[in-house]
Amino acid sequence: MLSICTKSEQKWLQCVDQLNDLSTTNYVKLSGFDGSVRLFHTPFNYGLLDIQIPFTINNEKQMNDMLNERYVLSNSSDVIAMSDVNSSVETRKRNVHHPKYFNATEALHVIEVGLSDDGMPVNGGSIIVVQLPTSACSPTKPPESLDLIVIVKSCIYCFDKRSYARDTYMKSHLWKDFRIRFVFVVGLPTPNETDVYHFDGVTVNLGRNAFGLSKLYKNSRWIAAKKLYDESRKFNDMLVGSFHDTYFNLTSKMMLSYRWTTTFCKGQTPLYLFVDDDYVLLPGNTIRLVRSLNASVLRSTVGGLVHYTSVVARPSKEKFDLRWAVSVNEYPWDYYPPYFYGIGYLLGSNIVSDASVAMAFTQSLRIDDSFLGIVLSRLNRTLTNMKEFSMDESTPKTKYFLVIIDIDTADDIINWKTGDIMNH
């Protein structure tokens, strides 16, 4: 798709219009894939893949929305009396979200039998792939047996960060006999992009200098799209979704990542490491951490840096709100379930597979880290706090066990030619 749509600025704008008004009908199932991989054609004669979980209607079934989690206060049991964080004497009421339990095995059976009209997934829209990577989990190559697949959440304009990653921690000699693959996940550039976004009672200014980006990549962002295609064709390590690549589509990016791994990487690795492109991996420490984990429970691993307080940010009286603010109408509780900081975390393949199904039945939330916490809570999974994902790089000893570090400090910590941690 990108090869056709980036031939000219006019062609790019035509493709954008089509993606904004996409009609995913006339599917063609592909041989060799399960039913979740469906190809459909567009008027421009390029094919797109939809990898959403396929759902069918069975009017004989009465589901009563039993699988879906919606952000609505149902009864008084959602409000629990707890001690005030600032006082051991006074008590107050706070809303604590206890999501509905989701059994992925039972859900898949129900999906196979068919869903009733009122049981259709609340978050089950199309997940469109416009570019698949071939460096990992390629549908045209034999399956691999890997130790780890790293999925890097990247932004459309982060060309320099991706280049740095490929030139440093992704170099194969640093991983020796450790079997690893890397994939960047991005969306598409947004024509006539703005820094200011409005939601329900929330106004956010991302402060990314949209005007400067317009000068660099044109208002249409065609130059960025062309550069993205050239990069993808050269390195073959990019998973590109059809959504606009903005901060507030990170949940869409996450859902694309999970569905891709579940669909194309099945049986090829027991473990996934999800990392933000503001951070880099320390290869030696990563290898030691993975090999220290109990092999018998590797596929059920849930580890990272846990955000325990999980306070929901609300709109303020200022002109602009925090970028992670949500209104009471969007999310009525005061606290999210525990979730990982988005810098990086480890999930076993069984967890990723179950989560990819649960996400479809969980109302979307634009704060992706919190959304994942809700999904993992629905799966009744306990988050393990791992010291290897600490953001504290101030103590000299931490660099000898940290798995990820800030990209801006990396060159002072590791010798990328040898992979050795430097002593200062």
Side-chain angles (χ1 to χ4, degrees), residues 298-356:
L298 207 57
R299 297 180 186 275
S300 299
T301 299
V302 183
L305 179 61
V306 180
H307 197 302
Y308 286 110
T309 56
S310 305
V311 179
V312 178
R314 296 299 188 196
S316 66
K317 295 181 180 180
E318 302 296 326
K319 181 178 180 181
F320 296 112
D321 300 300
L322 296 172
R323 63 177 60 188
W324 46 84
V326 296
S327 69
V328 173
N329 289 334
E330 294 174 294
Y331 190 82
W333 298 275
D334 294 330
Y335 291 80
Y336 298 113
Y339 60 86
F340 291 126
Y341 285 90
I343 59 173
Y345 55 89
L346 278 172
L347 290 182
S349 57
N350 290 346
I351 305 300
V352 173
S353 178
D354 289 351
S356 73

Side-chain angles (χ1 to χ4, degrees), residues 91-361:
T91 60
R92 65 186 179 93
K93 297 282 187 178
R94 78 174 186 181
N95 293 331
V96 181
H97 186 191
H98 299 280
K100 185 188 304 181
Y101 173 63
F102 186 89
N103 186 307
T105 302
E106 292 181 3
L108 288 172
H109 173 70
V110 171
I111 291 168
E112 185 177 357
V113 173
L115 300 170
S116 62
D117 284 328
D118 60 353
M120 294 299 288
V122 67
N123 192 20
S126 296
I127 300 177
I128 307 299
V129 178
V130 299
Q131 189 78 34
L132 283 171
T134 58
S135 62
C137 306
S138 171
T140 61
K141 297 178 181 178
E144 297 184 287
S145 179
L146 303 171
D147 296 305
L148 181 69
I149 293 178
V150 177
I151 298 177
V152 185
K153 178 175 64 178
S154 189
C155 79
I156 183 66
Y157 304 114
C158 297
F159 299 103
D160 290 343
K161 290 180 181 178
R162 290 192 291 273
S163 178
Y164 181 85
R166 295 186 185 103
D167 290 339
T168 55
Y169 73 86
M170 291 185 179
K171 289 293 186 182
S172 59
H173 74 274
L174 297 175
W175 299 92
K176 300 176 182 177
D177 62 341
F178 190 79
R179 299 162 299 177
I180 188 169
R181 294 289 181 269
F182 303 92
V183 172
F184 294 99
V185 185
V186 300
L188 295 175
T190 309
N192 302 310
E193 191 172 9
T194 178
D195 280 336
V196 179
Y197 290 80
H198 302 279
F199 303 99
D200 181 281
V202 179
T203 301
V204 178
N205 187 342
L206 293 177
R208 295 192 308 162
N209 188 12
F211 178 73
L213 290 172
S214 295
K215 290 179 64 177
L216 187 61
Y217 297 113
K218 292 191 174 184
N219 286 338
S220 69
R221 299 299 195 266
W222 168 63
I223 294 176
K226 180 68 166 63
K227 191 173 180 180
L228 178 69
Y229 168 65
D230 291 341
E231 179 186 7
S232 176
R233 183 178 57 176
K234 180 178 180 180
F235 296 104
N236 300 307
D237 60 357
M238 303 191 71
L239 173 63
V240 184
S242 66
F243 51 85
H244 291 314
D245 197 296
T246 74
Y247 179 83
F248 299 112
N249 272 340
L250 289 177
T251 298
S252 297
K253 189 175 293 184
M254 175 187 291
M255 292 181 66
L256 169 66
S257 303
Y258 281 51
R259 284 301 301 154
W260 172 76
T261 60
T262 302
T263 303
F264 293 99
C265 302
K266 192 178 301 181
Q268 297 193 42
T269 182
L271 198 62
Y272 296 94
L273 195 160
F274 297 84
V275 64
D276 190 279
D277 67 0
D278 287 329
Y279 292 81
V280 300
L281 300 186
L282 295 180
N285 293 353
T286 304
I287 294 171
R288 280 190 290 273
L289 172 61
V290 172
R291 288 181 172 168
S292 71
L293 299 175
N294 190 327
S296 64
V297 295
L298 207 57
R299 297 180 186 275
S300 299
T301 299
V302 183
L305 179 61
V306 180
H307 197 302
Y308 286 110
T309 56
S310 305
V311 179
V312 178
R314 296 299 188 196
S316 66
K317 295 181 180 180
E318 302 296 326
K319 181 178 180 181
F320 296 112
D321 300 300
L322 296 172
R323 63 177 60 188
W324 46 84
V326 296
S327 69
V328 173
N329 289 334
E330 294 174 294
Y331 190 82
W333 298 275
D334 294 330
Y335 291 80
Y336 298 113
Y339 60 86
F340 291 126
Y341 285 90
I343 59 173
Y345 55 89
L346 278 172
L347 290 182
S349 57
N350 290 346
I351 305 300
V352 173
S353 178
D354 289 351
S356 73
V357 180
M359 286 176 178
F361 290 93

